[in-house]
PDB file of all heavy atoms in Angstrom:
ATOM      1  N   LEU A 342     183.231  66.560 -70.513  1.00  0.00           N
ATOM      2  CA  LEU A 342     182.024  66.084 -69.835  1.00  0.00           C
ATOM      3  C   LEU A 342     181.784  64.614 -70.134  1.00  0.00           C
ATOM      4  O   LEU A 342     181.562  63.799 -69.226  1.00  0.00           O
ATOM      5  CB  LEU A 342     180.824  66.930 -70.272  1.00  0.00           C
ATOM      6  CG  LEU A 342     179.434  66.407 -69.892  1.00  0.00           C
ATOM      7  CD1 LEU A 342     179.309  66.252 -68.395  1.00  0.00           C
ATOM      8  CD2 LEU A 342     178.348  67.345 -70.430  1.00  0.00           C
ATOM      9  N   LYS A 364     173.560  77.717 -68.711  1.00  0.00           N
ATOM     10  CA  LYS A 364     172.359  76.996 -69.144  1.00  0.00           C
ATOM     11  C   LYS A 364     172.441  76.694 -70.639  1.00  0.00           C
ATOM     12  O   LYS A 364     173.054  77.410 -71.416  1.00  0.00           O
ATOM     13  CB  LYS A 364     171.117  77.833 -68.837  1.00  0.00           C
ATOM     14  CG  LYS A 364     171.178  79.265 -69.324  1.00  0.00           C
ATOM     15  CD  LYS A 364     170.013  80.073 -68.809  1.00  0.00           C
ATOM     16  CE  LYS A 364     170.132  81.545 -69.199  1.00  0.00           C
ATOM     17  NZ  LYS A 364     171.237  82.228 -68.548  1.00  0.00           N
ATOM     18  N   GLU A 407     166.931  34.359 -49.623  1.00  0.00           N
ATOM     19  CA  GLU A 407     167.152  32.963 -49.968  1.00  0.00           C
ATOM     20  C   GLU A 407     168.142  32.865 -51.128  1.00  0.00           C
ATOM     21  O   GLU A 407     168.153  33.704 -52.024  1.00  0.00           O
ATOM     22  CB  GLU A 407     165.831  32.299 -50.380  1.00  0.00           C
ATOM     23  CG  GLU A 407     164.793  32.256 -49.273  1.00  0.00           C
ATOM     24  CD  GLU A 407     163.514  31.591 -49.731  1.00  0.00           C
ATOM     25  OE1 GLU A 407     163.489  31.132 -50.889  1.00  0.00           O
ATOM     26  OE2 GLU A 407     162.564  31.533 -48.930  1.00  0.00           O
ATOM     27  N   ARG A 429     161.063  61.648 -48.709  1.00  0.00           N
ATOM     28  CA  ARG A 429     161.168  61.172 -50.089  1.00  0.00           C
ATOM     29  C   ARG A 429     162.588  60.711 -50.396  1.00  0.00           C
ATOM     30  O   ARG A 429     162.790  59.788 -51.188  1.00  0.00           O
ATOM     31  CB  ARG A 429     160.770  62.294 -51.062  1.00  0.00           C
ATOM     32  CG  ARG A 429     160.766  61.846 -52.513  1.00  0.00           C
ATOM     33  CD  ARG A 429     159.619  60.914 -52.796  1.00  0.00           C
ATOM     34  NE  ARG A 429     159.685  60.334 -54.132  1.00  0.00           N
ATOM     35  CZ  ARG A 429     160.178  59.140 -54.412  1.00  0.00           C
ATOM     36  NH1 ARG A 429     160.654  58.381 -53.439  1.00  0.00           N
ATOM     37  NH2 ARG A 429     160.203  58.674 -55.646  1.00  0.00           N
ATOM     38  N   GLY A 443     154.666  47.804 -32.909  1.00  0.00           N
ATOM     39  CA  GLY A 443     156.062  47.390 -32.911  1.00  0.00           C
ATOM     40  C   GLY A 443     156.527  46.882 -34.253  1.00  0.00           C
ATOM     41  O   GLY A 443     157.464  46.090 -34.338  1.00  0.00           O
ATOM     42  N   VAL A 444     155.873  47.324 -35.328  1.00  0.00           N
ATOM     43  CA  VAL A 444     156.190  46.867 -36.677  1.00  0.00           C
ATOM     44  C   VAL A 444     156.982  47.952 -37.397  1.00  0.00           C
ATOM     45  O   VAL A 444     156.596  49.123 -37.395  1.00  0.00           O
ATOM     46  CB  VAL A 444     154.897  46.559 -37.470  1.00  0.00           C
ATOM     47  CG1 VAL A 444     155.235  46.184 -38.913  1.00  0.00           C
ATOM     48  CG2 VAL A 444     154.129  45.440 -36.792  1.00  0.00           C
ATOM     49  N   PHE A 500     176.031  54.702 -54.407  1.00  0.00           N
ATOM     50  CA  PHE A 500     175.547  55.190 -55.697  1.00  0.00           C
ATOM     51  C   PHE A 500     176.579  56.112 -56.328  1.00  0.00           C
ATOM     52  O   PHE A 500     177.480  56.634 -55.655  1.00  0.00           O
ATOM     53  CB  PHE A 500     174.222  55.940 -55.517  1.00  0.00           C
ATOM     54  CG  PHE A 500     174.237  56.938 -54.390  1.00  0.00           C
ATOM     55  CD1 PHE A 500     174.766  58.209 -54.552  1.00  0.00           C
ATOM     56  CD2 PHE A 500     173.742  56.579 -53.141  1.00  0.00           C
ATOM     57  CE1 PHE A 500     174.797  59.107 -53.505  1.00  0.00           C
ATOM     58  CE2 PHE A 500     173.771  57.476 -52.078  1.00  0.00           C
ATOM     59  CZ  PHE A 500     174.300  58.751 -52.266  1.00  0.00           C
ATOM     60  N   LEU A 513     178.293  75.518 -54.180  1.00  0.00           N
ATOM     61  CA  LEU A 513     178.031  74.379 -53.310  1.00  0.00           C
ATOM     62  C   LEU A 513     178.758  74.533 -51.982  1.00  0.00           C
ATOM     63  O   LEU A 513     179.795  75.197 -51.892  1.00  0.00           O
ATOM     64  CB  LEU A 513     178.511  73.084 -53.960  1.00  0.00           C
ATOM     65  CG  LEU A 513     177.625  72.409 -54.998  1.00  0.00           C
ATOM     66  CD1 LEU A 513     178.329  71.163 -55.511  1.00  0.00           C
ATOM     67  CD2 LEU A 513     176.283  72.046 -54.415  1.00  0.00           C
ATOM     68  N   ASP A 534     180.032  76.095 -87.099  1.00  0.00           N
ATOM     69  CA  ASP A 534     179.739  74.770 -87.636  1.00  0.00           C
ATOM     70  C   ASP A 534     179.269  73.814 -86.540  1.00  0.00           C
ATOM     71  O   ASP A 534     178.351  73.007 -86.749  1.00  0.00           O
ATOM     72  CB  ASP A 534     180.977  74.196 -88.333  1.00  0.00           C
ATOM     73  CG  ASP A 534     181.320  74.935 -89.615  1.00  0.00           C
ATOM     74  OD1 ASP A 534     180.433  75.653 -90.132  1.00  0.00           O
ATOM     75  OD2 ASP A 534     182.468  74.813 -90.092  1.00  0.00           O
ATOM     76  N   ALA A 554     167.398  57.726 -82.533  1.00  0.00           N
ATOM     77  CA  ALA A 554     168.133  56.783 -81.683  1.00  0.00           C
ATOM     78  C   ALA A 554     168.631  55.594 -82.501  1.00  0.00           C
ATOM     79  O   ALA A 554     169.731  55.079 -82.258  1.00  0.00           O
ATOM     80  CB  ALA A 554     167.244  56.310 -80.542  1.00  0.00           C
ATOM     81  N   ALA A 634     190.128  66.101 -61.467  1.00  0.00           N
ATOM     82  CA  ALA A 634     189.911  65.844 -60.038  1.00  0.00           C
ATOM     83  C   ALA A 634     190.308  66.987 -59.121  1.00  0.00           C
ATOM     84  O   ALA A 634     189.865  67.009 -57.964  1.00  0.00           O
ATOM     85  CB  ALA A 634     190.677  64.589 -59.623  1.00  0.00           C
ATOM     86  N   PHE A 644     185.145  83.156 -54.327  1.00  0.00           N
ATOM     87  CA  PHE A 644     185.474  84.150 -55.330  1.00  0.00           C
ATOM     88  C   PHE A 644     186.696  83.768 -56.155  1.00  0.00           C
ATOM     89  O   PHE A 644     187.058  84.475 -57.085  1.00  0.00           O
ATOM     90  CB  PHE A 644     185.713  85.511 -54.664  1.00  0.00           C
ATOM     91  CG  PHE A 644     184.606  85.896 -53.721  1.00  0.00           C
ATOM     92  CD1 PHE A 644     184.891  86.467 -52.499  1.00  0.00           C
ATOM     93  CD2 PHE A 644     183.280  85.675 -54.061  1.00  0.00           C
ATOM     94  CE1 PHE A 644     183.864  86.822 -51.634  1.00  0.00           C
ATOM     95  CE2 PHE A 644     182.259  86.015 -53.205  1.00  0.00           C
ATOM     96  CZ  PHE A 644     182.555  86.597 -51.987  1.00  0.00           C
ATOM     97  N   GLU A 684     183.004  61.116 -82.647  1.00  0.00           N
ATOM     98  CA  GLU A 684     181.607  61.231 -83.024  1.00  0.00           C
ATOM     99  C   GLU A 684     181.439  61.679 -84.454  1.00  0.00           C
ATOM    100  O   GLU A 684     180.342  61.984 -84.888  1.00  0.00           O
ATOM    101  CB  GLU A 684     180.873  62.235 -82.120  1.00  0.00           C
ATOM    102  CG  GLU A 684     181.016  61.957 -80.639  1.00  0.00           C
ATOM    103  CD  GLU A 684     182.319  62.446 -80.091  1.00  0.00           C
ATOM    104  OE1 GLU A 684     182.984  63.264 -80.750  1.00  0.00           O
ATOM    105  OE2 GLU A 684     182.701  62.003 -79.006  1.00  0.00           O
ATOM    106  N   PRO A 694     189.754  76.887 -72.271  1.00  0.00           N
ATOM    107  CA  PRO A 694     189.935  76.382 -70.911  1.00  0.00           C
ATOM    108  C   PRO A 694     189.458  77.398 -69.895  1.00  0.00           C
ATOM    109  O   PRO A 694     189.485  78.608 -70.141  1.00  0.00           O
ATOM    110  CB  PRO A 694     191.467  76.166 -70.815  1.00  0.00           C
ATOM    111  CG  PRO A 694     191.918  76.031 -72.237  1.00  0.00           C
ATOM    112  CD  PRO A 694     191.004  76.894 -73.039  1.00  0.00           C
ATOM    113  N   GLU A 704     190.771  90.705 -65.765  1.00  0.00           N
ATOM    114  CA  GLU A 704     191.438  91.882 -66.293  1.00  0.00           C
ATOM    115  C   GLU A 704     190.465  93.001 -66.635  1.00  0.00           C
ATOM    116  O   GLU A 704     190.834  94.153 -66.703  1.00  0.00           O
ATOM    117  CB  GLU A 704     192.215  91.494 -67.553  1.00  0.00           C
ATOM    118  CG  GLU A 704     193.405  90.601 -67.277  1.00  0.00           C
ATOM    119  CD  GLU A 704     194.031  90.086 -68.550  1.00  0.00           C
ATOM    120  OE1 GLU A 704     193.549  90.446 -69.637  1.00  0.00           O
ATOM    121  OE2 GLU A 704     194.992  89.321 -68.445  1.00  0.00           O
ATOM    122  N   SER A 716     180.183 111.903 -64.619  1.00  0.00           N
ATOM    123  CA  SER A 716     180.890 113.101 -64.200  1.00  0.00           C
ATOM    124  C   SER A 716     181.872 112.761 -63.097  1.00  0.00           C
ATOM    125  O   SER A 716     181.492 112.249 -62.049  1.00  0.00           O
ATOM    126  CB  SER A 716     179.869 114.137 -63.704  1.00  0.00           C
ATOM    127  OG  SER A 716     180.521 115.269 -63.203  1.00  0.00           O
ATOM    128  N   GLU A 718     184.036 110.443 -62.979  1.00  0.00           N
ATOM    129  CA  GLU A 718     184.166 109.005 -62.765  1.00  0.00           C
ATOM    130  C   GLU A 718     185.624 108.585 -62.736  1.00  0.00           C
ATOM    131  O   GLU A 718     186.436 109.065 -63.514  1.00  0.00           O
ATOM    132  CB  GLU A 718     183.422 108.259 -63.868  1.00  0.00           C
ATOM    133  CG  GLU A 718     183.462 106.755 -63.701  1.00  0.00           C
ATOM    134  CD  GLU A 718     182.588 106.069 -64.719  1.00  0.00           C
ATOM    135  OE1 GLU A 718     181.408 106.433 -64.826  1.00  0.00           O
ATOM    136  OE2 GLU A 718     183.099 105.160 -65.406  1.00  0.00           O
ATOM    137  N   GLY A 791     151.881  47.280 -23.719  1.00  0.00           N
ATOM    138  CA  GLY A 791     152.000  48.295 -24.755  1.00  0.00           C
ATOM    139  C   GLY A 791     151.047  49.453 -24.543  1.00  0.00           C
ATOM    140  O   GLY A 791     150.012  49.340 -23.859  1.00  0.00           O
ATOM    141  N   ASP A 797     144.829  60.495 -33.316  1.00  0.00           N
ATOM    142  CA  ASP A 797     144.564  61.782 -32.655  1.00  0.00           C
ATOM    143  C   ASP A 797     145.557  62.078 -31.538  1.00  0.00           C
ATOM    144  O   ASP A 797     145.672  63.229 -31.093  1.00  0.00           O
ATOM    145  CB  ASP A 797     143.141  61.801 -32.087  1.00  0.00           C
ATOM    146  CG  ASP A 797     142.082  61.872 -33.179  1.00  0.00           C
ATOM    147  OD1 ASP A 797     142.447  62.233 -34.321  1.00  0.00           O
ATOM    148  OD2 ASP A 797     140.900  61.570 -32.889  1.00  0.00           O
ATOM    149  N   ARG A 804     160.086  72.909 -34.069  1.00  0.00           N
ATOM    150  CA  ARG A 804     161.524  73.083 -33.907  1.00  0.00           C
ATOM    151  C   ARG A 804     161.952  74.473 -34.338  1.00  0.00           C
ATOM    152  O   ARG A 804     161.310  75.100 -35.187  1.00  0.00           O
ATOM    153  CB  ARG A 804     162.285  72.028 -34.712  1.00  0.00           C
ATOM    154  CG  ARG A 804     161.920  70.611 -34.313  1.00  0.00           C
ATOM    155  CD  ARG A 804     162.875  69.604 -34.870  1.00  0.00           C
ATOM    156  NE  ARG A 804     162.599  68.268 -34.349  1.00  0.00           N
ATOM    157  CZ  ARG A 804     163.429  67.255 -34.395  1.00  0.00           C
ATOM    158  NH1 ARG A 804     164.620  67.412 -34.938  1.00  0.00           N
ATOM    159  NH2 ARG A 804     163.098  66.085 -33.905  1.00  0.00           N
ATOM    160  N   ALA A 818     178.817 104.946 -54.147  1.00  0.00           N
ATOM    161  CA  ALA A 818     179.967 104.979 -55.054  1.00  0.00           C
ATOM    162  C   ALA A 818     180.225 106.387 -55.553  1.00  0.00           C
ATOM    163  O   ALA A 818     180.796 106.583 -56.625  1.00  0.00           O
ATOM    164  CB  ALA A 818     179.733 104.042 -56.235  1.00  0.00           C
ATOM    165  N   GLN A 826     192.383 104.590 -51.200  1.00  0.00           N
ATOM    166  CA  GLN A 826     192.576 103.779 -50.005  1.00  0.00           C
ATOM    167  C   GLN A 826     191.255 103.556 -49.283  1.00  0.00           C
ATOM    168  O   GLN A 826     190.965 102.469 -48.799  1.00  0.00           O
ATOM    169  CB  GLN A 826     193.580 104.461 -49.076  1.00  0.00           C
ATOM    170  CG  GLN A 826     193.921 103.630 -47.842  1.00  0.00           C
ATOM    171  CD  GLN A 826     195.004 104.280 -47.003  1.00  0.00           C
ATOM    172  OE1 GLN A 826     195.500 105.362 -47.342  1.00  0.00           O
ATOM    173  NE2 GLN A 826     195.371 103.641 -45.918  1.00  0.00           N
ATOM    174  N   VAL A 831     186.390 100.039 -48.161  1.00  0.00           N
ATOM    175  CA  VAL A 831     184.947  99.834 -48.246  1.00  0.00           C
ATOM    176  C   VAL A 831     184.642  98.545 -48.999  1.00  0.00           C
ATOM    177  O   VAL A 831     183.830  97.727 -48.568  1.00  0.00           O
ATOM    178  CB  VAL A 831     184.272 101.039 -48.929  1.00  0.00           C
ATOM    179  CG1 VAL A 831     182.825 100.726 -49.272  1.00  0.00           C
ATOM    180  CG2 VAL A 831     184.345 102.265 -48.028  1.00  0.00           C
ATOM    181  N   LEU A 879     183.216  98.050 -59.765  1.00  0.00           N
ATOM    182  CA  LEU A 879     182.400  99.223 -59.481  1.00  0.00           C
ATOM    183  C   LEU A 879     183.232 100.508 -59.583  1.00  0.00           C
ATOM    184  O   LEU A 879     184.175 100.705 -58.812  1.00  0.00           O
ATOM    185  CB  LEU A 879     181.803  99.102 -58.072  1.00  0.00           C
ATOM    186  CG  LEU A 879     180.951 100.266 -57.579  1.00  0.00           C
ATOM    187  CD1 LEU A 879     179.683 100.382 -58.419  1.00  0.00           C
ATOM    188  CD2 LEU A 879     180.602 100.074 -56.108  1.00  0.00           C
ATOM    189  N   THR A 881     183.698 104.794 -59.348  1.00  0.00           N
ATOM    190  CA  THR A 881     183.234 105.791 -58.391  1.00  0.00           C
ATOM    191  C   THR A 881     183.294 107.175 -59.015  1.00  0.00           C
ATOM    192  O   THR A 881     183.953 107.396 -60.034  1.00  0.00           O
ATOM    193  CB  THR A 881     184.102 105.775 -57.118  1.00  0.00           C
ATOM    194  OG1 THR A 881     185.470 106.022 -57.491  1.00  0.00           O
ATOM    195  CG2 THR A 881     184.014 104.435 -56.409  1.00  0.00           C
ATOM    196  N   GLU A 940     158.166  99.778 -42.221  1.00  0.00           N
ATOM    197  CA  GLU A 940     157.870  98.394 -42.582  1.00  0.00           C
ATOM    198  C   GLU A 940     158.626  97.389 -41.715  1.00  0.00           C
ATOM    199  O   GLU A 940     158.514  96.179 -41.932  1.00  0.00           O
ATOM    200  CB  GLU A 940     158.207  98.161 -44.055  1.00  0.00           C
ATOM    201  CG  GLU A 940     157.356  99.001 -45.003  1.00  0.00           C
ATOM    202  CD  GLU A 940     157.772  98.837 -46.450  1.00  0.00           C
ATOM    203  OE1 GLU A 940     158.740  98.075 -46.712  1.00  0.00           O
ATOM    204  OE2 GLU A 940     157.152  99.472 -47.317  1.00  0.00           O
ATOM    205  N   VAL A 947     176.876 100.937 -42.455  1.00  0.00           N
ATOM    206  CA  VAL A 947     178.326 100.861 -42.276  1.00  0.00           C
ATOM    207  C   VAL A 947     178.874 102.262 -42.540  1.00  0.00           C
ATOM    208  O   VAL A 947     178.890 102.744 -43.668  1.00  0.00           O
ATOM    209  CB  VAL A 947     178.951  99.834 -43.230  1.00  0.00           C
ATOM    210  CG1 VAL A 947     180.461  99.788 -43.033  1.00  0.00           C
ATOM    211  CG2 VAL A 947     178.353  98.452 -43.000  1.00  0.00           C
TER     212      VAL A 947
END
Side-chain angles (χ1 to χ4, degrees):
L342 168 59
K364 50 188 175 293
E407 297 180 3
R429 184 71 187 97
V444 176
F500 47 82
L513 279 179
D534 291 342
F644 310 138
E684 307 80 16
E704 291 172 1
S716 176
E718 182 174 308
D797 289 343
R804 302 193 173 197
Q826 184 175 0
V831 169
L879 178 66
T881 58
E940 297 176 359
V947 179

